[in-house]
Amino acid sequence: MTTPNSLRYSTRLPWDLPENPLFVIRQERTAQGREVLDLTGSNPTSCGLGDWNEAIAKALAQPGSAHYHPVPQGSAEARAAVAAYYSSLGWNADPEDLLLTASTSESYSMLFQLFCDPGDEVLVPRPSYPLFQHLGGLAGVGLQPYLLQFAGEWQVDFPSLEAAVGDRTRALVVVNPNNPTGSYLRPPEAQRLLELCAERGMALIADEVFWEYSLRDHQHLTTPGITSPERAWFAAAESPALCVSMGGLSKSAGMPQMKLGWMLVRGPEQEKVRVMARLRWIADTYLSVSAPVQEALPALLGIGAEIRASIQQRVRLNLGAIATWQRNTPSVSLLPAEGGWSAVLRLPSVVDDEQWCERFLREVGVWVQPGYYYDLAGGAYVVLSLLSPPGALVEGLARIAPIVTDAAR
């Protein structure tokens, strides 16, 4: 009898990372039957925004959902619905420049496969959402960070960006507005990024899933410092470089369960033709977008307008509550939030952000995210979700205020 050899696994991801100590503490507390007040939830379907179940079910009850017509780019009707959605935002998108995917994560994966061979590099912002590490690893792509600097408002650190460009750099990722900082790129920054990509032969990948959630009309609620009202929008940019703007139902319509995203390709016409042909090839390999969600898309986008309005009301209400709390807790700074669903608090640097989070969890049962999850550096930061139920948010802030105040004395 032979002894089987051990299986070999890819090294794309660090599979054996130790469990995060904050999650361990939370699990222990939950196992003991003790309350955990979660201020990190970002799932629109589970934070008490409203009930659209019946409307969504009706939208999905389309006769065409029972038939399968594989179209790699996405059905013409569904792409027309996305184009109409862009029109409602003030931009006339050509349905032929759109390609549907199952999610923004899949869009990233397709674009990394399109532009990169294994070992090639993609530039990603820091701070930003931590998902890039996993998407890049699974695609065999190296990630090179470039910095966003905060000086009253967040700006691209162009020296760090240009220093990060190497011989194997194939694409530049921007998140607009950024998650979690909520900062939009300014038009001059966007133009400079597009020109850099054109000069260096790189594609620009613009993650604009939160673009509709501007908080600019409510800047009086946040820390002063926003000096420019303009916000770039790559979906509508006249681009000298190949540029792909990403969106989807998860954020635009508050429907992460529907699993539909899209890419809008902009740039020189010849390059667009080549890119769309290759993207259709990749999409044809997976055909991941379901027929029911495509059939229902026009109705879902209509329902999504109502959900989006509810989300906008919630995040603005919560941002106001945090701003009021911060004024009464002067040892804490609330960083300006221009858009998105997150708030970033800077706490006294008497301990680091993980220690703050551990104290909040152990002492008063409040769960917030440490800033290092997002590579926030230069201080002790915590991140809260602006989708949190308002009562829970106010209660959680009231619980942590004495801890912060006492530590700052």
Side-chain angles (χ1 to χ4, degrees):
M1 182 176 179
T2 59
T3 302
N5 292 323
S6 298
L7 290 174
R8 297 182 181 180
Y9 298 95
S10 88
T11 57
R12 288 182 174 88
L13 294 180
W15 307 105
D16 297 323
L17 283 176
E19 196 167 12
N20 185 286
L22 291 174
F23 281 100
V24 172
I25 297 169
R26 176 174 177 165
Q27 289 170 342
E28 291 173 349
R29 187 178 180 95
T30 302
Q32 296 165 359
R34 303 172 68 194
E35 178 194 33
V36 174
L37 196 57
D38 188 350
L39 302 186
T40 69
S42 58
N43 179 355
T45 70
S46 61
C47 58
L49 287 169
D51 184 359
W52 290 273
N53 292 344
E54 185 176 339
I56 292 173
K58 182 178 179 181
L60 291 169
Q62 302 292 327
S65 298
H67 300 280
Y68 182 49
H69 303 288
V71 181
Q73 192 170 343
S75 74
E77 295 79 8
R79 286 184 285 114
V82 176
Y85 174 69
Y86 276 108
S87 180
S88 74
L89 299 176
W91 165 247
N92 294 321
D94 187 339
E96 292 305 311
D97 294 337
L98 287 160
L99 186 137
L100 306 186
T101 65
S103 66
T104 305
S105 294
E106 185 178 58
S107 296
Y108 273 119
S109 179
M110 287 184 177
L111 293 171
F112 288 172
Q113 292 172 52
L114 172 65
F115 295 121
C116 300
D117 287 323
D120 284 343
E121 296 179 344
V122 173
L123 305 180
V124 296
R126 175 181 291 175
S128 195
Y129 192 57
L131 185 65
F132 294 134
Q133 177 184 355
H134 304 295
L135 294 171
L138 289 171
V141 171
L143 302 179
Q144 288 295 329
Y146 65 92
L147 299 180
L148 305 180
Q149 297 284 10
F150 182 73
E153 63 180 17
W154 292 93
Q155 298 175 334
V156 175
D157 184 327
F158 279 95
S160 78
L161 171 60
E162 294 175 3
V165 178
D167 293 339
R168 300 197 67 175
T169 305
R170 299 292 178 262
L172 164 68
V173 172
V174 298
V175 184
N176 183 48
N178 184 269
N179 180 14
T181 67
S183 52
Y184 288 93
L185 287 161
R186 306 300 184 218
E189 289 179 300
Q191 187 62 32
R192 186 172 174 182
L193 291 171
L194 289 167
E195 290 172 354
L196 174 65
C197 286
E199 292 168 5
R200 302 296 183 94
M202 302 184 299
L204 191 144
I205 301 171
D207 184 335
E208 299 191 291
V209 298
F210 286 109
W211 193 86
E212 299 93 316
Y213 293 96
S214 173
L215 296 166
R216 183 161 290 113
D217 293 340
H218 298 260
Q219 279 304 309
H220 64 282
L221 300 175
T222 67
T223 305
I226 300 302
T227 59
S228 173
E230 296 86 8
R231 51 178 176 152
W233 189 25
F234 289 91
E238 291 297 329
S239 177
L242 195 287
C243 175
V244 183
S245 173
M246 299 187 295
L249 289 183
S250 178
K251 305 302 187 297
S252 293
M255 297 182 190
Q257 76 279 24
M258 289 296 107
K259 306 309 297 177
L260 187 134
W262 54 78
M263 294 184 275
L264 176 61
V265 180
R266 307 281 292 135
E269 191 61 31
Q270 284 189 324
E271 206 67 75
K272 277 172 48 180
V273 170
R274 285 192 285 266
V275 164
M276 289 303 300
R278 286 160 174 77
L279 281 175
R280 285 193 293 268
W281 187 307
I282 297 171
D284 193 33
T285 304
Y286 298 103
L287 292 172
S288 57
V289 185
S290 74
V293 74
Q294 293 187 75
E295 286 285 326
L297 190 54
L300 292 176
L301 286 168
I303 300 166
E306 299 178 20
I307 298 175
R308 186 167 61 255
S310 181
I311 291 173
Q312 290 168 330
Q313 182 180 22
R314 169 69 62 84
V315 298
R316 291 166 178 172
L317 174 67
N318 280 342
L319 187 60
I322 295 173
T324 298
W325 173 84
Q326 183 271 329
R327 286 193 289 270
N328 296 318
T329 315
S331 57
V332 177
S333 298
L334 170 61
L335 271 62
E338 297 181 79
W341 299 353
S342 296
V344 180
L345 300 178
R346 182 168 185 169
L347 306 179
S349 295
V350 292
V351 296
D352 64 28
D353 44 11
E354 183 171 52
Q355 291 170 309
W356 276 121
C357 291
E358 182 175 344
R359 286 199 63 185
F360 297 158
L361 187 56
R362 287 191 184 278
E363 296 179 26
V364 292
V366 174
W367 176 252
V368 295
Q369 291 180 320
Y372 77 82
Y373 281 9
Y374 302 88
D375 289 323
L376 283 160
Y381 298 94
V382 296
V383 179
L384 286 67
S385 171
L386 293 173
L387 286 190
S388 301
L393 179 70
V394 170
E395 172 64 22
L397 292 172
R399 291 186 190 182
I400 68 175
I403 299 174
V404 176
T405 301
D406 290 345
R409 287 174 179 163

